[in-house]
Amino acid sequence: MKQLAILVVITGLVLLVLGCGSGGGDPVTPTLDPTTGVGTLNISMDDFTFTPKKIDLTACQKVRLVLTNNSATNDHGFTVGYGVTKEGGSPTGFERDWFDDIEVAVTGPAKMVKSGKAILTHEGTGIVEDGTGGFMVIKAPSSQATIIEFTVPTEIGDFEFASFEGGGKHYEDGMKGLIKVFPGKSARNDEVGKSWQQAKTKCL
């Protein structure tokens, strides 16, 4: 009986380890408001992880991200793109910013909002830094959320979201996640045959 109990415990631990190594569970999609057509998705930032870590979006979809920083002590950033850039061996951001030339509205408190090449509208407290690097929201620990509203860009494929705070250590510690963008009913694929990362759609 004792051996059976030990076996059950070992089996549970193995399953727990396998579950933790699965890369953040199943992808999450925004909750759609049928009246406005806007999808809302909550993203929480902790030391040093995002929840959720996998997000599925549809090109041309209107999205509202509700961003919270649950840390008691650390600032955390949120930025999206691909191709990590480095300075002095440390990751600093993305070579390709997902929000380039996209209209983005940021509402609520943020320690800093970097516009990059996004077309930014900002309402709330915090420093706004125009035209440097990529679009990024940096949040200090706070019980208040910051809302990021935009229409999902037309480039389909895989994109990473991450925090590069702490001189890039947050990213190295695993504070990153994956966004997959799919073509949808509101988009037309004009580049069939190109690779997943390169294909683009057009909003109808």
Side-chain angles (χ1 to χ4, degrees), residues 66-81:
V66 181
L67 199 64
T68 55
N69 180 1
N70 297 324
S71 173
T73 56
N74 292 298
D75 297 345
H76 291 306
F78 177 82
T79 184
V80 186

Side-chain angles (χ1 to χ4, degrees), residues 57-129:
L57 297 177
T58 302
C60 305
Q61 178 184 20
K62 292 182 179 180
V63 172
R64 178 186 294 115
L65 302 182
V66 181
L67 199 64
T68 55
N69 180 1
N70 297 324
S71 173
T73 56
N74 292 298
D75 297 345
H76 291 306
F78 177 82
T79 184
V80 186
Y82 60 83
V84 174
T85 57
K86 292 186 176 183
E87 288 183 13
S90 298
T92 57
F94 293 118
E95 181 180 344
R96 170 71 167 85
D97 179 24
W98 194 53
F99 288 100
D100 277 358
D101 303 318
I102 300 298
E103 293 184 3
V104 184
V106 177
T107 307
K111 182 173 182 178
M112 178 178 289
V113 180
K114 298 183 179 181
S115 67
K117 294 181 181 178
I119 304 166
L120 176 66
T121 302
H122 177 246
E123 288 185 21
T125 58
I127 299 169
V128 176
E129 191 174 286

